[in-house]
Amino acid sequence: ISGVLLTGKKSETVNAIKEGFVTFSGFYRGFGQVVFVQASNKLMYVYTGLENISVNKGDKVKFGDKIGTLGIDMHSGKPQLNFMVFKNGSPTDPAKAPRG
């Protein structure tokens, strides 16, 4: 699985980088607490390694809305977010994914 690891401070706020609808919010095996946001551009934005989740399935989020707080990564033991973007089910480069 490709994505980017973003480091931060434990319990730091994690904000949505793209407007969309929450399609999944909860525990996802191997990734801990996870939020999936489906944007109108058909890209799926995935935030993993959250300590707490502030949104529920079906919620609409706007750019900058709080989706949760940063937790401790299950694999590294450090506070970091694994951020992934998918297009038609295939991973795409998060650096090239539209924001806002």
Side-chain angles (χ1 to χ4, degrees), residues 5 8 18 23 27 31-34 43 48 54 57 62 67 77 80 85 88 97 100:
L5 293 176
K18 184 72 177 166
T23 60
F27 184 80
F31 292 97
Q33 296 294 327
V34 177
L43 295 178
T48 77
S54 303
K57 183 178 178 180
K62 295 179 183 173
I67 60 166
Q80 62 186 22
V85 179
N88 299 323

Side-chain angles (χ1 to χ4, degrees), residues 19-99:
E19 182 176 300
F21 287 93
V22 177
T23 60
F24 181 85
S25 172
F27 184 80
Y28 199 90
R29 194 172 109 192
F31 292 97
Q33 296 294 327
V34 177
V35 171
F36 288 60
V37 176
Q38 176 75 57
S40 62
N41 62 8
K42 307 295 185 210
L43 295 178
M44 181 72 71
Y45 294 76
V46 181
Y47 307 79
T48 77
L50 299 170
E51 176 181 49
N52 292 301
I53 296 174
S54 303
V55 295
N56 296 302
K57 183 178 178 180
D59 288 352
K60 182 175 183 174
V61 294
K62 295 179 183 173
F63 173 75
D65 282 355
K66 179 179 178 178
I67 60 166
T69 58
L70 184 61
I72 301 296
D73 179 72
M74 298 170 69
H75 304 289
S76 71
K78 299 176 183 178
Q80 62 186 22
L81 177 80
N82 185 4
F83 176 68
M84 298 174 279
V85 179
F86 294 87
K87 181 176 184 178
N88 299 323
S90 297
T92 187
D93 184 355
K96 296 179 182 176
R99 289 155 171 59

